[in-house]
Structures are given as C-alpha cells and as structure tokens.
Amino acid sequence: RDSGCGADKAWRASGTMWESVVRRPLRLLKTAPRELWLVYVLKALDSYGYFALSEVFTMLLSDEFGVSDTVAGAVYGGWGTAITLYGILTGTLIDAMGVRTSLVASYALQTASRLVLVYTRSISLAYAVIFFVQPLASSWGAPVLTIAIKRLVRDADRTVSFGLFYAMMNVAALLSGFAIDALRLGLPRGISSDESSPLASPVRVVVLSTVATSLGALCVSWRFRDLPHRGDGGGGGVTVVTAGGVGAVSAWRTQCAENARGVLRNRRFWQFLAMAVFTLNLKQIFRHMDATFPKFAVRAFGCDAPFGSIYAINPAMIILGVPVVAAATPNVRHFDMIFRGGWITALSPFILAWRQTYGGACAFVTVLSLGEMVWSPRWYDYTMACAPPGKEGVFGALALAPVFAAKLPTGLLGGYLLQTHCPAAPGGDCPAPGRAAANGGDGGDGGEVGTRCDGRALWGTIGLVTLTSPVLIAVFHRWLRDSGDGDGETDGETDGGGGGGGFV
C-alpha cells in the first residue's frame, strides 16, 4: 500500500512538473501577441552578443591591442561597472522614450560600437567605445525587454513569461560557447587572406559575429510597435511625474526620501544588504568564467583549447536543471536554497586547482552549474520577498550599491592572478595559427598544465575568495535565516517606525 501511495505521489509530481515546465509555456506562446515573440528573439540575439563578447573580451585587449593581463582585467571590470552605472542613469530615459524607440536606439549604438571594436587598431578609440558607447547600449536595451514582457502579459502568466525569457538567455549563452570555438578553431587565420587586415584575427571574427546579431536585433526592434502602459495600477512602485511643474517634482523628491528612510529602518533591508554583500564573491565566479578562464585555457592547454565548449556546459545544465530543481523544491525557503547552493558553487574552483586538465575544467564548470541551479533562480524570489510592499524600486536601488562597487576589483584580481601565475608567452598567446601556447601547453591534447602556468595557485586563490561567501553566511546564519520569509512588511523594522508612504 505504501509503495502504491508513493508511486501515485511520484506520478502526480511528474504531472505537475510536465504542466509547469512544458504545457504552460507552450500555451502561452500559442496565444502570445507578435511582440512577445519578438521579445524572445531579441533576448536571444542580445544575449549571444553579450556572452560572446564577454568571453573574448580580455583576449581581444591583450592579443589585438597588446595590453597586459592586469590592465585587460581592469578594463573588463570597468566595462561591467559602466554597464551598471548607465543602467541606473537610463531608467528614466527609457520611460520617456518608450519601448520601441529605446530598443532601436540601443541596438543601433550596439551595432556601431561593436563594428568599431572589430576594425579599430587605436586603443584610445577602443577605450572610448568600451567605457562610453558599448555599456550605454547594453544597459539601455536589456531592461526594456523586461518592461515589454510586463506590459504584454497578464499577471498570472508573468512567471512563465520570465521563465521563457531566462531560458532564451541560456540558449544564447550555449550557442555562443560553441560559436566561439567554431570561429576560433575553424578559422584560425580569420576570414581575410591579407595578414594586415583586422579580419585575419579569429578573435575579431568572433566580435564580428556579435555585430551580426546586433544588426539582426536592430531589424527586429524596428518592427516592434510601441507598448502603452498597462492600466492595472501595477507600475512596479514607480511614480511617474507628468505635470505639475516644480511643485510636483519637489513632492516626488520628498516621497523618494521618505521611502528611502523607511527602507533603511527596515530590518529586512539590512539582512538583504548583508546577503548581497556576502554573496558578491560567489557571484563574481561567473566573471572569472568570462575574463579569466579563456586565457587560462589557452595558456594551459594550447591555442586550440575549446574553452567555449567547456563554458557551454554551464548554460546547458541550467536549461535542463533549473525547471527540475524548481519543481522539486517549491516548499524550501529561499534563504536555505541560496545557502546550500552557495557552498556547491564556492567549492568548484578547487577542482580546477587540483586537476588542471580538460577533465578538471569540465568538472569545475559542472559543479559550479549544479550549485547555480540551486541558488541563482531563488535569488530573484529572495529579493522580492525581502522588499517591503510598494518600495521595491528604492529597495533594489539601495541594494545595488555593493554590486556596483565589486566589479572592478574582480577584474583586477583575475588579471593580476593571470599575469602572476599564468603569464602569456613572449609575443602573445597565439602568435601563429595552430601553434600551441609557448608556456608549456600541450597543444590541446588534454594533458597536464604547462610548467609556466600555475593553475593551482590561480584557481586556489579564486576558490578561497569565493568560499568567503558561504562562510560569512554561516557565521551570521542565526541573524539571517528568517530573511526572505514573508513579504518584507514593517514588522521587521529595527525601530518600529512605519517607514512612511510608498511609491504609487
């Protein structure tokens, strides 16, 4: 009887999983307006461009412009910081311009800036594009797509819609990894027979592929129709000042200040801020995947190291694993999932420190991904659970500050570790097509790491830095464990104050 009951429960659970993972998304797509399909196409094109550029970013700077690993890492960190900064500044611009105009402007800038990166040999021009034009385009376009989904779908379908949105991002990340290897290894002399041409570089050819996706996104966004605000009062906690002159602006500023003070008096905010700070090093392991791992792979295993395919293990596992984990753990608290999954991800760099082989690299990405599918999706739910009702906007803005401050140090650390423990060979990593890195790599046969590349010190250091995240959460576990329970109401305030008001 018990066996039959267990089988019946398992059957019902599998049916529920099939309904949430397959049937509901298919029903949504079947009845979706054209613009929702365009949003998913734009997300795929935009994400491919971002991931492909990120994975070859530091290689482009070092191989094509001759900058050191430390400088390349700093520029990578500065680029990420600029994207975050512009994202804060362009929020009101998006509201003023509307969805369609913002998308067209974003992808036009993106196409032009990446085209400059393909052809320029001027480091000054490259820096101007990297720090000003490219981050503006990236920060301008991505939020618009989430706004479009909110305006296109009903509240009941929003979770499924954003789930498909997240899936499209990971599909694009998967394709970018394979495309990088196909272009780098399949076209070792680029697409030009003239060795003096920028297109004789396979790394620049990868960047050229992101130009193609940006141009495609520009064409798709041109067909987009502008979307009016949904008249459901669900403005996401943002006050829109349309008239009233100076008095209205003054009232809006006063309201913002009152909401900020209310959030700062809320105990849940300080718990969340602590979690945001504690998990910074955990989240930055993904930046090392972009900026540190590709150079390490080339120097450790040779120029034909398929680092893109190894990278693709991560999105492949996320696509397949996240729906299963979500369906299997609906009643587990957000905090517990973040804490447990954080330990798994934090331990992954030590695998590569222990075994600097292709097998070790694949195991590193696999374990990292197992942890990510446990904790990363829950972080979004955790954020909204901690936010006081009606104050989500100011809550998110205040909590974004530590993330903004951490990107530059992460880039600097990765560059310093590469330059110290895994330096480039004289003349660059791959001065001739097909030639293995001169640092002792084996030309991509999957053997042990070369003698000039100390992967144990490099990834051991990154592992120790990443491990601080779950350790700090464990130290403050008793104070943090009830964060994310409930909806961040004022019963969690530190001084009993009401927090005053709220965005309307």
Side-chain angles (χ1 to χ4, degrees), residues 236-252:
V238 179
T239 301
V240 181
V241 180
T242 58
V246 176
V249 172
S250 177
W252 176 73

mmCIF file with all atom_site columns, all heavy atoms in Angstrom, residues 236-252:
data_model
loop_
_atom_site.group_PDB
_atom_site.id
_atom_site.type_symbol
_atom_site.label_atom_id
_atom_site.label_alt_id
_atom_site.label_comp_id
_atom_site.label_asym_id
_atom_site.label_entity_id
_atom_site.label_seq_id
_atom_site.pdbx_PDB_ins_code
_atom_site.Cartn_x
_atom_site.Cartn_y
_atom_site.Cartn_z
_atom_site.occupancy
_atom_site.B_iso_or_equiv
_atom_site.pdbx_formal_charge
_atom_site.auth_seq_id
_atom_site.auth_comp_id
_atom_site.auth_asym_id
_atom_site.auth_atom_id
_atom_site.pdbx_PDB_model_num
ATOM 1   N N   . GLY A 1 236 ? 4.872  48.844 -10.679 1.00 0.00 ? 236 GLY A N   1
ATOM 2   C CA  . GLY A 1 236 ? 6.139  48.397 -10.163 1.00 0.00 ? 236 GLY A CA  1
ATOM 3   C C   . GLY A 1 236 ? 6.737  49.334 -9.149  1.00 0.00 ? 236 GLY A C   1
ATOM 4   O O   . GLY A 1 236 ? 7.913  49.300 -8.869  1.00 0.00 ? 236 GLY A O   1
ATOM 5   N N   . GLY A 1 237 ? 5.902  50.193 -8.521  1.00 0.00 ? 237 GLY A N   1
ATOM 6   C CA  . GLY A 1 237 ? 6.433  51.029 -7.473  1.00 0.00 ? 237 GLY A CA  1
ATOM 7   C C   . GLY A 1 237 ? 7.128  52.274 -7.971  1.00 0.00 ? 237 GLY A C   1
ATOM 8   O O   . GLY A 1 237 ? 7.979  52.825 -7.315  1.00 0.00 ? 237 GLY A O   1
ATOM 9   N N   . VAL A 1 238 ? 6.821  52.749 -9.154  1.00 0.00 ? 238 VAL A N   1
ATOM 10  C CA  . VAL A 1 238 ? 7.477  53.930 -9.699  1.00 0.00 ? 238 VAL A CA  1
ATOM 11  C C   . VAL A 1 238 ? 6.453  55.042 -9.851  1.00 0.00 ? 238 VAL A C   1
ATOM 12  O O   . VAL A 1 238 ? 5.379  54.844 -10.419 1.00 0.00 ? 238 VAL A O   1
ATOM 13  C CB  . VAL A 1 238 ? 8.120  53.635 -11.061 1.00 0.00 ? 238 VAL A CB  1
ATOM 14  C CG1 . VAL A 1 238 ? 8.766  54.880 -11.623 1.00 0.00 ? 238 VAL A CG1 1
ATOM 15  C CG2 . VAL A 1 238 ? 9.157  52.545 -10.905 1.00 0.00 ? 238 VAL A CG2 1
ATOM 16  N N   . THR A 1 239 ? 6.794  56.225 -9.353  1.00 0.00 ? 239 THR A N   1
ATOM 17  C CA  . THR A 1 239 ? 5.931  57.377 -9.536  1.00 0.00 ? 239 THR A CA  1
ATOM 18  C C   . THR A 1 239 ? 6.289  58.071 -10.828 1.00 0.00 ? 239 THR A C   1
ATOM 19  O O   . THR A 1 239 ? 7.440  58.421 -11.041 1.00 0.00 ? 239 THR A O   1
ATOM 20  C CB  . THR A 1 239 ? 6.105  58.358 -8.356  1.00 0.00 ? 239 THR A CB  1
ATOM 21  O OG1 . THR A 1 239 ? 5.766  57.674 -7.156  1.00 0.00 ? 239 THR A OG1 1
ATOM 22  C CG2 . THR A 1 239 ? 5.214  59.565 -8.528  1.00 0.00 ? 239 THR A CG2 1
ATOM 23  N N   . VAL A 1 240 ? 5.329  58.277 -11.715 1.00 0.00 ? 240 VAL A N   1
ATOM 24  C CA  . VAL A 1 240 ? 5.558  58.974 -12.973 1.00 0.00 ? 240 VAL A CA  1
ATOM 25  C C   . VAL A 1 240 ? 5.035  60.393 -12.851 1.00 0.00 ? 240 VAL A C   1
ATOM 26  O O   . VAL A 1 240 ? 3.836  60.606 -12.653 1.00 0.00 ? 240 VAL A O   1
ATOM 27  C CB  . VAL A 1 240 ? 4.867  58.251 -14.142 1.00 0.00 ? 240 VAL A CB  1
ATOM 28  C CG1 . VAL A 1 240 ? 5.135  58.978 -15.438 1.00 0.00 ? 240 VAL A CG1 1
ATOM 29  C CG2 . VAL A 1 240 ? 5.357  56.813 -14.219 1.00 0.00 ? 240 VAL A CG2 1
ATOM 30  N N   . VAL A 1 241 ? 5.922  61.367 -12.944 1.00 0.00 ? 241 VAL A N   1
ATOM 31  C CA  . VAL A 1 241 ? 5.529  62.763 -12.850 1.00 0.00 ? 241 VAL A CA  1
ATOM 32  C C   . VAL A 1 241 ? 5.295  63.284 -14.255 1.00 0.00 ? 241 VAL A C   1
ATOM 33  O O   . VAL A 1 241 ? 6.220  63.369 -15.057 1.00 0.00 ? 241 VAL A O   1
ATOM 34  C CB  . VAL A 1 241 ? 6.622  63.594 -12.138 1.00 0.00 ? 241 VAL A CB  1
ATOM 35  C CG1 . VAL A 1 241 ? 6.202  65.045 -12.052 1.00 0.00 ? 241 VAL A CG1 1
ATOM 36  C CG2 . VAL A 1 241 ? 6.905  63.031 -10.756 1.00 0.00 ? 241 VAL A CG2 1
ATOM 37  N N   . THR A 1 242 ? 4.058  63.592 -14.580 1.00 0.00 ? 242 THR A N   1
ATOM 38  C CA  . THR A 1 242 ? 3.735  64.029 -15.936 1.00 0.00 ? 242 THR A CA  1
ATOM 39  C C   . THR A 1 242 ? 3.435  65.514 -16.024 1.00 0.00 ? 242 THR A C   1
ATOM 40  O O   . THR A 1 242 ? 3.489  66.080 -17.093 1.00 0.00 ? 242 THR A O   1
ATOM 41  C CB  . THR A 1 242 ? 2.513  63.248 -16.464 1.00 0.00 ? 242 THR A CB  1
ATOM 42  O OG1 . THR A 1 242 ? 1.431  63.466 -15.565 1.00 0.00 ? 242 THR A OG1 1
ATOM 43  C CG2 . THR A 1 242 ? 2.814  61.767 -16.539 1.00 0.00 ? 242 THR A CG2 1
ATOM 44  N N   . ALA A 1 243 ? 3.069  66.130 -14.925 1.00 0.00 ? 243 ALA A N   1
ATOM 45  C CA  . ALA A 1 243 ? 2.727  67.548 -14.948 1.00 0.00 ? 243 ALA A CA  1
ATOM 46  C C   . ALA A 1 243 ? 2.852  68.089 -13.544 1.00 0.00 ? 243 ALA A C   1
ATOM 47  O O   . ALA A 1 243 ? 3.110  67.387 -12.593 1.00 0.00 ? 243 ALA A O   1
ATOM 48  C CB  . ALA A 1 243 ? 1.303  67.745 -15.484 1.00 0.00 ? 243 ALA A CB  1
ATOM 49  N N   . GLY A 1 244 ? 2.661  69.395 -13.445 1.00 0.00 ? 244 GLY A N   1
ATOM 50  C CA  . GLY A 1 244 ? 2.658  69.974 -12.120 1.00 0.00 ? 244 GLY A CA  1
ATOM 51  C C   . GLY A 1 244 ? 3.877  70.808 -11.836 1.00 0.00 ? 244 GLY A C   1
ATOM 52  O O   . GLY A 1 244 ? 3.989  71.402 -10.776 1.00 0.00 ? 244 GLY A O   1
ATOM 53  N N   . GLY A 1 245 ? 4.846  70.817 -12.737 1.00 0.00 ? 245 GLY A N   1
ATOM 54  C CA  . GLY A 1 245 ? 5.985  71.702 -12.614 1.00 0.00 ? 245 GLY A CA  1
ATOM 55  C C   . GLY A 1 245 ? 6.851  71.404 -11.421 1.00 0.00 ? 245 GLY A C   1
ATOM 56  O O   . GLY A 1 245 ? 6.991  70.271 -10.969 1.00 0.00 ? 245 GLY A O   1
ATOM 57  N N   . VAL A 1 246 ? 7.429  72.480 -10.871 1.00 0.00 ? 246 VAL A N   1
ATOM 58  C CA  . VAL A 1 246 ? 8.404  72.355 -9.784  1.00 0.00 ? 246 VAL A CA  1
ATOM 59  C C   . VAL A 1 246 ? 7.782  71.744 -8.550  1.00 0.00 ? 246 VAL A C   1
ATOM 60  O O   . VAL A 1 246 ? 8.397  70.948 -7.843  1.00 0.00 ? 246 VAL A O   1
ATOM 61  C CB  . VAL A 1 246 ? 9.004  73.735 -9.465  1.00 0.00 ? 246 VAL A CB  1
ATOM 62  C CG1 . VAL A 1 246 ? 9.946  73.644 -8.286  1.00 0.00 ? 246 VAL A CG1 1
ATOM 63  C CG2 . VAL A 1 246 ? 9.727  74.287 -10.677 1.00 0.00 ? 246 VAL A CG2 1
ATOM 64  N N   . GLY A 1 247 ? 6.521  72.094 -8.252  1.00 0.00 ? 247 GLY A N   1
ATOM 65  C CA  . GLY A 1 247 ? 5.871  71.557 -7.065  1.00 0.00 ? 247 GLY A CA  1
ATOM 66  C C   . GLY A 1 247 ? 5.742  70.055 -7.112  1.00 0.00 ? 247 GLY A C   1
ATOM 67  O O   . GLY A 1 247 ? 5.983  69.368 -6.122  1.00 0.00 ? 247 GLY A O   1
ATOM 68  N N   . ALA A 1 248 ? 5.368  69.511 -8.276  1.00 0.00 ? 248 ALA A N   1
ATOM 69  C CA  . ALA A 1 248 ? 5.246  68.065 -8.411  1.00 0.00 ? 248 ALA A CA  1
ATOM 70  C C   . ALA A 1 248 ? 6.591  67.381 -8.274  1.00 0.00 ? 248 ALA A C   1
ATOM 71  O O   . ALA A 1 248 ? 6.713  66.319 -7.649  1.00 0.00 ? 248 ALA A O   1
ATOM 72  C CB  . ALA A 1 248 ? 4.611  67.724 -9.757  1.00 0.00 ? 248 ALA A CB  1
ATOM 73  N N   . VAL A 1 249 ? 7.626  67.954 -8.872  1.00 0.00 ? 249 VAL A N   1
ATOM 74  C CA  . VAL A 1 249 ? 8.962  67.374 -8.760  1.00 0.00 ? 249 VAL A CA  1
ATOM 75  C C   . VAL A 1 249 ? 9.433  67.386 -7.316  1.00 0.00 ? 249 VAL A C   1
ATOM 76  O O   . VAL A 1 249 ? 10.015 66.421 -6.812  1.00 0.00 ? 249 VAL A O   1
ATOM 77  C CB  . VAL A 1 249 ? 9.951  68.147 -9.665  1.00 0.00 ? 249 VAL A CB  1
ATOM 78  C CG1 . VAL A 1 249 ? 11.375 67.674 -9.418  1.00 0.00 ? 249 VAL A CG1 1
ATOM 79  C CG2 . VAL A 1 249 ? 9.582  67.973 -11.121 1.00 0.00 ? 249 VAL A CG2 1
ATOM 80  N N   . SER A 1 250 ? 9.164  68.492 -6.611  1.00 0.00 ? 250 SER A N   1
ATOM 81  C CA  . SER A 1 250 ? 9.555  68.585 -5.208  1.00 0.00 ? 250 SER A CA  1
ATOM 82  C C   . SER A 1 250 ? 8.837  67.542 -4.369  1.00 0.00 ? 250 SER A C   1
ATOM 83  O O   . SER A 1 250 ? 9.432  66.899 -3.500  1.00 0.00 ? 250 SER A O   1
ATOM 84  C CB  . SER A 1 250 ? 9.243  69.993 -4.690  1.00 0.00 ? 250 SER A CB  1
ATOM 85  O OG  . SER A 1 250 ? 9.545  70.094 -3.320  1.00 0.00 ? 250 SER A OG  1
ATOM 86  N N   . ALA A 1 251 ? 7.535  67.354 -4.636  1.00 0.00 ? 251 ALA A N   1
ATOM 87  C CA  . ALA A 1 251 ? 6.784  66.337 -3.903  1.00 0.00 ? 251 ALA A CA  1
ATOM 88  C C   . ALA A 1 251 ? 7.312  64.945 -4.188  1.00 0.00 ? 251 ALA A C   1
ATOM 89  O O   . ALA A 1 251 ? 7.394  64.092 -3.296  1.00 0.00 ? 251 ALA A O   1
ATOM 90  C CB  . ALA A 1 251 ? 5.293  66.435 -4.269  1.00 0.00 ? 251 ALA A CB  1
ATOM 91  N N   . TRP A 1 252 ? 7.680  64.719 -5.453  1.00 0.00 ? 252 TRP A N   1
ATOM 92  C CA  . TRP A 1 252 ? 8.230  63.405 -5.826  1.00 0.00 ? 252 TRP A CA  1
ATOM 93  C C   . TRP A 1 252 ? 9.543  63.142 -5.111  1.00 0.00 ? 252 TRP A C   1
ATOM 94  O O   . TRP A 1 252 ? 9.789  62.050 -4.601  1.00 0.00 ? 252 TRP A O   1
ATOM 95  C CB  . TRP A 1 252 ? 8.423  63.382 -7.343  1.00 0.00 ? 252 TRP A CB  1
ATOM 96  C CG  . TRP A 1 252 ? 9.062  62.127 -7.855  1.00 0.00 ? 252 TRP A CG  1
ATOM 97  C CD1 . TRP A 1 252 ? 8.503  60.893 -7.957  1.00 0.00 ? 252 TRP A CD1 1
ATOM 98  C CD2 . TRP A 1 252 ? 10.404 61.987 -8.345  1.00 0.00 ? 252 TRP A CD2 1
ATOM 99  N NE1 . TRP A 1 252 ? 9.391  59.991 -8.480  1.00 0.00 ? 252 TRP A NE1 1
ATOM 100 C CE2 . TRP A 1 252 ? 10.570 60.650 -8.728  1.00 0.00 ? 252 TRP A CE2 1
ATOM 101 C CE3 . TRP A 1 252 ? 11.466 62.881 -8.500  1.00 0.00 ? 252 TRP A CE3 1
ATOM 102 C CZ2 . TRP A 1 252 ? 11.762 60.175 -9.246  1.00 0.00 ? 252 TRP A CZ2 1
ATOM 103 C CZ3 . TRP A 1 252 ? 12.642 62.402 -9.027  1.00 0.00 ? 252 TRP A CZ3 1
ATOM 104 C CH2 . TRP A 1 252 ? 12.790 61.070 -9.383  1.00 0.00 ? 252 TRP A CH2 1
#
